[in-house]
Amino acid sequence: MIYSNGVMNIYDFAIKESKADLEKEYTKRNSENDKIRMYLIFGAMVLMFIVSILIMYFTRIAFIYENRLNAANKQIKENLSFKNRILGMLSHELRSPLKIIGIFIRKINKKTNDDSIKEYLKSISFTNNTLLMQANQILEYTKNQHVENQLIPVVFNLKNEVTSILNSIEPYIETRNNKFIVEENIDSKIEVYSDNTKINQVFMNILANANKFTENGEISVVTKAEPVDENTVSLITVIKDTGAGISKSDLEKIFEPYYQGVLSEDVENLGAGLGLSLCKEIVELYSGKISVDSEKNIGTTVSFTINLNLNK
């Protein structure tokens, strides 16, 4: 019993020492953990502060860009409004002199018996009427810009219309010493119910482009009318020139709005690059197709097909 009591006292002393050591270790670990937590909290606060500064900075940048964007949009709207106002004024003011020109053309036509002069007057009258229709269309567009491009059908003789278009542009083609060859195969009895103004636009744009890039050369037009069914006739036209031609890289983008190609610097009075884009849009209104084939320094061929409703 005496030895057992002595051994128990040894165990009690060892346990007390171990307990004291454990308490010291526990206190030490708690102190270290408190320091780590404090550092983590402090680091998180610093990180949140940095993130807050970055958010404020980017918010400020976004606010600045938003103000700039709003100012740019406002400027664009003002510019568009000014442009539409100018276009509306011009188209409105152009109608009166065009009408007066038409009156004088009719008066001169009545007073002359020269057939050649009458032919010139006929071409001038056709061109004048075309400009008058364009001025009216521009005026309508400036009034309502949300109206999509659409056909405004009227009854007309297809052969007479195409002949008038080609006759009116022939003097313009001759200004660059180009030979103008026309091969037309349209039945004189064909009357259609469609939009003759837009047919005029397609011919004029393509022939103007051909003349612009051709000098002392040749421009040919082959056009024919083929029946599709009892209600529809197809006008198939191929316009070919011997001008500067178009590179393969330009051919891929030729129908894009405002695209002018690499020859822009070499051609005077180039225009806005909207001609072929507008032609494609118009041809598609007729459920037709248009294509361009060209080789640089050899020439360009533009082919288009439009479908017209027969007048019953």
Side-chain angles (χ1 to χ4, degrees):
M1 292 295 291
I2 291 169
Y3 283 117
S4 295
N5 287 332
V7 172
M8 291 300 295
N9 289 332
I10 293 170
Y11 275 114
D12 287 338
F13 179 76
I15 289 170
K16 288 179 180 178
E17 277 195 355
S18 177
K19 183 179 179 182
D21 290 340
L22 287 173
E23 286 178 349
K24 289 179 181 179
E25 185 69 22
Y26 178 75
T27 305
K28 183 180 179 182
R29 293 293 180 187
N30 276 342
S31 177
E32 291 178 355
N33 288 337
D34 289 341
K35 288 181 180 179
I36 292 171
R37 279 195 290 270
M38 184 181 68
Y39 291 147
L40 286 174
I41 293 170
F42 180 75
M45 291 177 64
V46 171
L47 182 62
M48 289 179 63
F49 179 73
I50 294 171
V51 170
S52 300
I53 291 175
L54 288 174
I55 291 173
M56 291 175 63
Y57 174 73
F58 285 116
T59 303
R60 176 178 170 79
I61 291 176
F63 181 72
I64 291 171
Y65 278 108
E66 184 180 2
N67 286 339
R68 290 180 182 177
L69 184 61
N70 290 334
N73 285 332
K74 184 179 179 182
Q75 186 66 40
I76 289 170
K77 288 180 181 178
E78 290 177 356
N79 291 340
L80 286 173
S81 177
F82 179 74
K83 180 202 72 174
N84 290 334
R85 183 182 176 188
I86 294 297
L87 284 174
M89 289 172 60
L90 286 174
S91 58
H92 183 269
E93 296 301 323
L94 277 173
R95 292 191 302 171
S96 296
L98 288 172
K99 288 178 181 178
I100 293 170
I101 291 171
I103 293 170
F104 278 110
I105 290 170
R106 289 191 290 272
K107 286 185 177 181
I108 295 170
N109 191 49
K110 288 179 181 179
K111 291 184 178 181
T112 183
N113 295 320
D114 192 324
D115 291 336
S116 61
I117 294 176
K118 284 181 177 289
E119 284 298 319
Y120 281 122
L121 289 173
K122 188 176 179 181
S123 295
I124 295 170
S125 178
F126 177 81
T127 306
N128 185 72
N129 290 335
T130 301
L131 288 172
L132 186 58
M133 285 188 289
Q134 293 295 331
N136 289 330
Q137 285 184 345
I138 292 171
L139 186 60
E140 289 299 320
Y141 175 75
T142 54
K143 289 179 181 178
N144 187 1
Q145 299 175 40
H146 300 291
V147 175
E148 293 183 357
N149 203 357
Q150 58 185 353
L151 299 177
I152 304 174
V154 295
V155 177
F156 62 92
N157 184 282
L158 184 59
K159 182 182 179 70
N160 292 343
E161 186 71 23
V162 173
T163 302
S164 298
I165 294 170
L166 298 177
N167 287 341
S168 66
I169 202 169
E170 184 175 5
Y172 172 66
I173 290 175
E174 291 174 350
T175 58
R176 292 178 64 84
N177 297 321
N178 289 319
K179 187 178 180 182
F180 191 45
I181 301 171
V182 176
E183 185 181 331
E184 176 257 307
N185 186 17
I186 301 174
D187 191 341
S188 60
K189 296 179 182 179
I190 296 177
E191 282 197 347
V192 296
Y193 180 66
S194 190
D195 193 327
N196 60 333
T197 304
K198 288 184 171 55
I199 295 175
N200 183 359
Q201 283 181 281
V202 174
F203 273 98
M204 289 294 184
N205 276 307
I206 296 173
L207 286 169
N209 276 342
N211 193 56
K212 188 185 299 180
F213 291 95
T214 307
E215 190 171 9
N216 300 318
E218 182 178 292
I219 298 174
S220 64
V221 179
V222 179
T223 183
K224 60 181 178 179
E226 294 184 353
V228 177
D229 51 44
E230 60 180 5
N231 297 316
T232 312
V233 64
S234 183
L235 180 65
I236 304 168
T237 306
V238 178
I239 298 174
K240 186 182 295 185
D241 66 64
T242 58
I246 305 167
S247 65
K248 290 183 180 180
S249 60
D250 285 332
L251 273 177
E252 298 173 357
K253 304 176 182 179
I254 201 71
F255 290 112
E256 292 181 7
Y258 306 106
Y259 189 77
Q260 297 178 335
V262 296
L263 289 175
S264 301
E265 297 177 357
D266 303 327
V267 180
E268 295 179 358
N269 302 321
L270 192 71
L274 288 170
L276 285 176
S277 173
L278 178 62
C279 288
K280 185 175 186 293
E281 183 180 344
I282 293 173
V283 168
E284 288 174 350
L285 288 175
Y286 289 98
S287 301
K289 295 180 180 179
I290 184 171
S291 63
V292 179
D293 185 26
S294 183
E295 192 170 344
K296 208 166 182 183
N297 301 321
I298 292 179
T300 302
T301 301
V302 181
S303 307
F304 67 89
T305 303
I306 57 176
N307 299 310
L308 307 168
N309 297 323
L310 289 167
N311 180 40
K312 295 295 184 176

